[in-house]
Amino acid sequence: MLEQIGERILILSIVMCVGLPIINDFQALFLLDFQETNSYRNGVKMSYVKIFDTTLRDGEQAPGIALNPNQKLEIAHALANLGVDIIEAGFPIASRGDFDCVYQIAREVKGPVICALARTDKKDIERAAEAIRTAKKARIHTFTSASKVHLDFILKMSEQEVLEQTDEMVRYAKSFVDDVEFSAQDCMRADPEFVYQLVRMAIAAGATTVNIPDTTGYGTPIEYGALIKSIFDNVPEAHDITISTHCHDDLGLAVANSLAAVENGARQIECTINGIGERAGNTSLEESVMALYTRKDYYGLELGINTRELYFSSQLVARHTGVEVPPNKAIVGDNAFAHEAGIHQDGVLKNKDTYEIMNAEIVGREAGVLVMGKHSGRNAFRKRLTELGYTDVDDKSLNAFFRQFKDLADLKQRVSDDDIISLVDTETTKIEELYRLEHIQFQSGTGGMTPSALIRLKTPEGIKETTALGSGPVDASFNALKKLSPMPIEVESYDLRAIGSGTDALGEVSIRVKSNNQIVHGQAASTDVVHSSVLAFVDVLNRLAAGIGKNRKAV
Ligand code: KIV
Ligand code: ZN
């Protein structure tokens, strides 16, 4: 032992003499040493961090979120596929609906431990125990509070009373399941000595996980990390159970705080998909997971997460909760793997590692994309043209297209593929108005009526008119237009966008069609969406007649 201490002092002196760059290595060395000497605890590898997902409990507490039982079950299955270690499925005493959801998840979802929340109260614990009764692996999570303000205003109890209740209720929970987690809310603003007493009491009563919540998101990473370390220093028995982190994001520090806790020995992170939760939310699962994964060189820790499921889970939760993911959100936001600046795009085209620290595919997304906007460079523009099927563009034409693209990008935030196609096609071909809509009439309604449309069109062969049926007025009109078209037309995509917000907003329709192996786009806007759809189709007919699309290979 003395020899080991001597070695440490020697390493420390070398670090101090040689300077800062070695300090990170020294920390890593220390971390590895810590893990080696604590390799296994109760059969669990100490270099493993458990991911405790509370999307369905704390996440659902976010303002405006109310998931129905089917949505909860679908999310729980997705969490199991993602490989989370524990799913906190709900708070059964809160309502009959909450109880039923936890019960159903416990019965159906296999893999993770299914956990139910309960206050340190007999009725709560009984309800939680009943809800998870059928789970293969079941946990009761019972919680109280630690801070003075909570004791005075919420619990209205003295510290001694809270300690006695903790002892009694952890033991009571333990009479139902072996796996009991204990939490004391607001630890970060509590007297640390009281926190140590609570941790000691909960462990003595049988808790196998003790969670140290920063309920109000008050702590900084150094403070919260120090609190976790001080728990291990002051309560040695904490080394025999799992110390868990639970952080809220009021100051935007939840992920940083959770990681600081892990650096100081916590081995469970409580988190939610997309970081949803009370007020500013909880620690984001995808961010903490990818930090530990991408910086394994630094943390040296293992996870059981299938990272390729992260994006899917994020999209599913966003869809069911109605809480959209901000575009700049790390890992799962629209822009997280998008490069727009010319210098960045150029670098990424030469070697992805220049601006990407992880591949989009690792989190289950498509490879990083080059966003076409006013900062994009010529190389990225040429690459996009090739991807769109314009493989034979000479340098002179490229320069001309690129100039126009830049002008357009000054007017629009993002230039879409359709914009680029339209720009190139319009530039390379003169479009005459050979086809013109003369008249449109359509019928649609409920009660078994089949939608129909009549179209009269000016064509190079004179005025033509026909009728057709369809599943709706747009479909019926397109069927009529297809009959009037001299070439076969297959509509590959149809997009409708409202310009404005009132009921009289313009409906802008963009369609992409395939005809004799050519791809052509058409666009039009009108306050009547059937009218704008028909005009977009007529636009396509004129473009096809002018030979547009011939420059592009179908991709
Ligand atoms: O934030 C918190 O303290 C909680 C507890 C119930 C763990 O959510
Ligand atoms: Zn919480």
Side-chain angles (χ1 to χ4, degrees):
M1 183 67 184
L2 276 176
E3 269 171 32
Q4 275 181 4
I5 294 173
E7 257 173 46
R8 288 260 170 83
I9 292 172
L10 186 68
I11 295 171
L12 193 58
S13 337
I14 296 171
V15 168
M16 286 160 112
C17 296
V18 179
L20 269 175
I22 297 184
I23 287 181
N24 274 342
D25 290 345
F26 176 70
Q27 283 174 342
L29 198 91
F30 189 83
L31 197 72
L32 284 174
D33 188 21
F34 170 83
Q35 285 155 16
E36 266 162 32
T37 50
N38 295 276
S39 265
Y40 283 88
R41 184 186 300 156
N42 292 334
V44 178
K45 205 169 179 199
M46 271 318 291
S47 60
Y48 185 85
V49 178
K50 288 182 226 166
I51 297 297
F52 175 115
D53 181 276
T54 182
T55 305
L56 298 174
R57 199 279 297 170
D58 218 339
E60 214 218 3
Q61 282 175 223
I65 298 184
L67 296 164
N68 69 37
N70 287 339
Q71 292 171 328
K72 284 194 179 178
L73 191 63
E74 198 182 337
I75 292 175
H77 279 296
L79 292 171
N81 285 340
L82 178 62
V84 305
D85 300 275
I86 302 109
I87 295 176
E88 187 163 56
F91 189 13
I93 195 87
S95 70
R96 175 83 219 180
D98 241 45
F99 175 91
D100 289 343
C101 285
V102 179
Y103 185 85
Q104 201 183 3
I105 291 170
R107 214 181 44 192
E108 286 191 31
V109 179
K110 305 280 173 265
V113 172
I114 307 299
C115 172
L117 186 70
R119 284 166 297 193
T120 39
D121 173 275
K122 275 194 166 174
K123 284 220 164 55
D124 276 42
I125 292 171
E126 284 159 14
R127 206 71 181 129
E130 174 60 18
I132 53 171
R133 192 168 46 82
T134 56
K136 200 141 189 242
K137 295 186 264 174
R139 172 180 296 188
I140 295 177
H141 176 192
T142 185
F143 73 99
T144 184
S145 282
S147 65
K148 186 165 172 359
V149 66
H150 275 224
L151 264 61
D152 289 350
F153 292 93
I154 301 174
L155 301 181
K156 299 193 186 349
M157 287 164 82
S158 68
E159 289 189 351
Q160 189 52 35
E161 284 168 334
V162 174
L163 283 168
E164 282 165 17
Q165 190 191 51
T166 295
D167 180 43
E168 196 189 339
M169 290 304 122
V170 171
R171 285 179 201 280
Y172 192 56
K174 201 76 186 169
S175 70
F176 295 99
V177 287
D178 279 342
D179 187 348
V180 173
E181 172 168 339
F182 169 77
S183 289
Q185 291 183 93
D186 207 12
C187 280
M188 198 60 240
R189 294 190 301 164
D191 172 2
E193 289 300 331
F194 183 51
V195 173
Y196 307 148
Q197 286 181 355
L198 281 168
V199 174
R200 219 172 274 134
M201 185 62 91
I203 297 173
T208 41
T209 301
V210 174
N211 184 34
I212 310 297
D214 179 12
T215 308
T216 51
Y218 180 71
T220 67
I222 290 184
E223 282 173 333
Y224 187 63
L227 175 64
I228 301 294
K229 180 175 183 310
S230 73
I231 289 171
F232 285 110
D233 291 345
N234 287 279
V235 189
E237 29 323 3
H239 286 288
D240 301 326
I241 54 115
T242 302
I243 292 291
S244 165
T245 131
H246 180 112
C247 298
H248 281 265
D249 209 27
D250 300 68
L251 295 174
L253 294 171
V255 172
N257 285 351
S258 303
L259 294 172
V262 163
E263 277 194 80
N264 285 280
R267 287 295 175 265
Q268 173 175 288
I269 299 180
E270 303 201 353
C271 45
T272 59
I273 300 284
N274 299 337
I276 59 168
E278 279 278 350
R279 306 182 308 280
N282 287 60
T283 298
S284 132
L285 182 147
E286 53 284 349
E287 290 175 18
S288 13
V289 161
M290 286 315 289
L292 292 173
Y293 182 92
T294 310
R295 297 306 312 275
K296 192 165 181 195
D297 60 321
Y298 177 74
Y299 292 104
L301 295 167
E302 284 166 28
L303 294 164
I305 296 293
N306 174 6
T307 59
R308 289 182 190 272
E309 292 292 321
L310 284 171
Y311 188 60
F312 174 80
S313 312
S314 159
Q315 294 280 299
L316 182 72
V317 169
R319 202 165 59 242
H320 285 341
T321 57
V323 179
E324 278 181 29
V325 178
N328 62 331
K329 171 103 166 59
I331 320 296
V332 290
D334 277 356
N335 295 347
F337 295 91
H339 307 275
E340 188 183 318
I343 296 173
H344 288 218
Q345 292 186 334
D346 194 44
V348 169
L349 284 174
K350 287 172 178 143
N351 182 339
K352 274 186 176 185
D353 289 352
T354 50
Y355 288 102
E356 281 185 9
I357 58 163
M358 57 198 153
N359 287 342
E361 292 94 329
I362 286 179
V363 300
R365 305 184 64 159
E366 281 178 20
V369 289
L370 305 185
V371 174
M372 302 314 291
K374 69 176 187 178
H375 305 291
S376 301
R378 193 182 310 264
N379 272 351
F381 182 67
R382 181 193 282 282
K383 180 161 186 287
R384 182 53 58 90
L385 284 183
T386 311
E387 285 165 356
L388 291 173
Y390 299 105
T391 46
D392 303 326
V393 180
D394 60 32
D395 283 351
K396 195 166 161 237
S397 312
L398 179 81
N399 288 345
F401 297 150
F402 187 60
R403 262 196 311 277
Q404 288 190 25
F405 159 74
K406 283 284 189 179
D407 288 346
L408 187 61
D410 270 337
L411 301 173
K412 290 185 95 176
Q413 279 172 344
R414 273 192 185 189
V415 180
S416 69
D417 286 350
D418 285 353
D419 292 328
I420 296 176
I421 290 165
S422 163
L423 180 154
V424 175
D425 286 350
T426 314
E427 190 55 26
T428 45
T429 332
K430 187 170 162 358
I431 304 168
E432 253 182 88
E433 202 190 19
L434 295 176
Y435 293 86
R436 197 176 61 231
L437 179 69
E438 292 280 314
H439 179 69
I440 172 171
Q441 197 178 318
F442 51 86
Q443 264 191 327
S444 122
T446 52
M449 171 187 273
T450 307
S452 63
L454 176 146
I455 303 270
R456 193 179 311 134
L457 208 60
K458 175 190 156 265
T459 74
E461 294 83 38
I463 302 288
K464 287 187 178 175
E465 181 177 300
T466 193
T467 56
L469 303 176
S471 57
V474 173
D475 190 46
S477 308
F478 278 19
N479 288 339
L481 284 159
K482 281 182 200 167
K483 284 202 218 167
L484 295 175
S485 164
M487 45 258 170
I489 287 189
E490 200 185 313
V491 180
E492 288 205 324
S493 77
Y494 172 94
D495 267 333
L496 171 63
R497 193 171 66 95
I499 306 173
S501 54
T503 48
D504 59 349
L506 278 183
E508 187 188 67
V509 172
S510 307
I511 57 171
R512 188 177 69 223
V513 310
K514 197 169 174 186
S515 176
N516 293 333
N517 220 22
Q518 293 174 46
I519 302 287
V520 175
H521 289 75
Q523 241 176 12
S526 161
T527 48
D528 179 326
V529 293
V530 182
H531 188 214
S532 49
S533 305
V534 169
L535 290 179
F537 201 110
V538 175
D539 189 30
V540 160
L541 292 177
N542 281 318
R543 284 167 183 271
L544 280 169
I548 278 181
K550 283 199 186 117
N551 305 339
R552 274 183 80 213
K553 300 199 170 56
V555 279

